[in-house]
Amino acid sequence: MSATGARVAVTGLGVVAPNGLGTEAYWAATRKGTSGIGRITRFVPDRYPAQLAGEVEGFVAEEHLPGRLLPQTDRMTQLALVAADWAFQDAAVRPEELPEFEMGVITASSSGGFEFGQRELQALWSKGGRYVSAYQSFAWFYAVNSGQISIRNGMRGPSGVVVSDQAGGLDAVAQARRQIRKGTRLVMSGAVDASICPWGWVAQMASNRLSTSRDPERAYLPFDTAASGHVPGEGGALLVLEELEQARARGARQIYGEIAGYGATLDPRPGSGRAPGLRKAIELALADAREEPGDIDVVFADAAAIPELDRIEAEAITEVFGARAVPVTAPKTMTGRLYSGAAPLDLAAAFLAMRDGVIPPSIGISPSPDHDLDLVVGEERTAPVRTALVIARGHGGYNSAAVVRAAA
């Protein structure tokens, strides 16, 4: 049954992040300000100007997944499958017990399975076509995480993938909320990205937005006078979404909160003289949630670490909320920018901040006086958090914003 204005709750979280494998490990590290950024180990980065990344450590796919899945999946998908398993466990949902057409999967992707694709292309060039895996036909594809999660868990309801770089993580969750409101019982949503391989690395460097610093503590510095690009990372978060009253009726183990508002815009073409679209996206999200700026307890920033992009974001925040009027944080300074996985991870952090009454810190930053932001730096800040705003921008002018709040 359709419920256009139904409240959509998050009942399960599955996190794979460079500074913590699993939700509670990630959150404990984030609260302490523990970074997962370091020199790349997944390949030898000596020939590349950028040599730092946020890598997920301690993940052994064989310990979590059946052997038949390993040869047909990229690392990105292996991480996503495990994150989905953990999200279901956290929500106390057994998908095999639910009607298959009442469950969907909507994820985002920025790069697809680049590591798998690189390996098979190398086999093609060095050995010939008969040495290329048949799984190459889908293992590299943007939609593969949605497909593999749906197959593994028997989820045959409305599903899809969104591709809009870092903004995609919020766009996917918004699509999931729309499907819940149309009557789908449960949707797994969010994103996990992983493309730390030479092919993926060159593609990321083409943006000219990567930091070339060799110092992990000073490489990724959004809103800092020394900002000079971001550090990429791998990982993200998957969320179990359900209609709020239905989740309560089934006796959900916990309800982290609700996806209360969403807004998205596109920036005008360069040189048009028109204003960037980020402020409008924030205003749309607030209006959709029926919240006023003063109701927001914390902003999780996009945190591009490109001076001009930082200026645009800082101005959008101060124009909406006022100068230093709301705490702003960027815990992704501990993980790197996870592309489509970054915003869902910020959503998870926002819900955990509500649960524990703390705002996680940004690390390594010396806030620039050019930005009138109340940045939470160095250490976590104790504060009641009921409502949060998450901002995400994608390369090419995508702007997305989401308001999340406690469900009580």
Side-chain angles (χ1 to χ4, degrees):
M1 181 179 296
S2 176
T4 303
R7 297 169 68 185
V8 177
V10 173
T11 58
L13 299 174
V15 170
V16 286
N19 64 340
L21 192 56
T23 301
E24 296 304 332
Y26 159 74
W27 185 235
T30 298
R31 290 186 61 176
K32 293 176 183 176
T34 302
S35 176
I37 292 173
R39 193 171 189 272
I40 293 171
T41 64
R42 295 191 59 74
F43 65 92
V44 178
D46 293 353
R47 294 179 296 166
Y48 302 93
Q51 299 183 3
L52 300 179
E55 296 178 318
V56 175
E57 295 184 354
F59 178 77
V60 181
E62 292 83 352
E63 295 178 357
H64 303 282
L65 298 171
R68 64 178 177 78
L69 279 175
L70 301 182
Q72 61 179 283
T73 49
D74 181 77
R75 176 176 172 86
M76 168 194 77
T77 302
Q78 293 166 3
L79 289 167
L81 286 168
V82 173
D85 287 349
W86 289 345
F88 275 130
Q89 292 169 13
D90 189 40
V93 168
R94 295 174 60 86
E96 65 271 20
E97 296 177 353
L98 298 178
E100 58 186 4
F101 287 101
E102 294 184 14
M103 300 180 292
V105 185
I106 301 176
T107 67
S109 180
S110 180
S111 60
F114 264 37
E115 189 172 17
F116 194 105
Q118 175 180 313
R119 184 171 65 246
E120 299 309 316
L121 286 174
Q122 286 176 319
L124 174 66
W125 296 333
S126 63
K127 299 178 182 180
R130 63 179 178 171
Y131 292 93
V132 176
S133 168
Y135 298 127
Q136 167 69 354
S137 62
F138 60 80
W140 68 273
F141 193 50
Y142 296 96
V144 67
N145 286 357
S146 289
Q148 289 285 18
I149 292 169
S150 66
I151 292 168
R152 177 169 167 79
N153 295 286
M155 306 169 75
R156 302 179 68 183
S159 299
V161 65
V162 179
V163 182
S164 46
D165 193 28
Q166 183 159 288
L170 294 185
D171 298 338
V173 171
Q175 293 281 356
R177 182 179 71 150
R178 184 174 294 118
Q179 292 301 332
I180 295 287
R181 287 178 165 180
K182 287 182 177 180
T184 302
R185 181 169 180 171
L186 178 150
V187 179
M188 179 73 72
S189 190
V192 173
D193 252 328
S195 56
I196 301 178
C197 62
W199 186 24
W201 203 246
V202 171
Q204 293 172 70
M205 287 179 56
S207 70
N208 294 317
R209 293 184 176 184
L210 269 60
S211 170
T212 57
S213 171
R214 305 295 170 86
D215 180 359
E217 295 183 1
R218 294 288 295 167
Y220 180 25
L221 302 171
F223 308 112
D224 190 307
T225 54
S228 60
H230 70 266
V231 173
E234 62 180 0
L238 290 172
L239 295 71
V240 174
L241 275 65
E242 304 177 68
E243 194 275 321
L244 176 60
E245 294 307 320
Q246 180 174 279
R248 286 173 171 161
R250 76 167 178 86
R253 176 184 296 167
Q254 74 272 305
I255 295 174
Y256 286 103
E258 64 175 307
I259 307 298
Y262 165 74
T265 60
L266 282 172
D267 286 333
R269 62 175 177 79
S272 69
R274 296 163 56 199
L278 182 58
R279 175 180 175 177
K280 183 64 174 178
I282 295 171
E283 292 172 340
L284 288 170
L286 289 170
D288 186 36
R290 298 182 180 180
E291 298 282 5
E292 297 296 327
D295 298 326
I296 301 297
D297 298 309
V298 61
V299 173
F300 285 77
D302 172 76
I306 299 292
E308 175 63 10
L309 295 176
D310 284 353
R311 180 191 65 78
I312 290 170
E313 183 171 24
E315 288 181 354
I317 292 171
T318 56
E319 287 168 0
V320 173
F321 297 99
R324 302 180 184 274
V326 62
V328 177
T329 188
K332 59 173 66 70
T333 50
M334 292 172 251
T335 63
R337 286 172 71 88
L338 310 185
Y339 298 100
S340 68
L345 189 59
D346 277 347
L347 290 175
F351 287 123
L352 295 166
M354 293 176 194
R355 184 192 71 182
D356 294 345
V358 296
I359 298 173
S362 315
I363 66 168
I365 300 172
S366 297
S368 169
D370 295 335
H371 307 307
D372 283 329
L373 298 178
D374 176 18
L375 281 169
V376 179
V377 296
E379 298 180 350
E380 68 180 20
R381 182 184 299 179
T382 301
V385 179
R386 174 175 171 76
T387 308
L389 174 74
V390 176
I391 297 172
R393 291 177 292 179
H395 191 59
Y398 299 99
N399 304 293
S400 294
V403 174
V404 296
R405 64 181 169 226

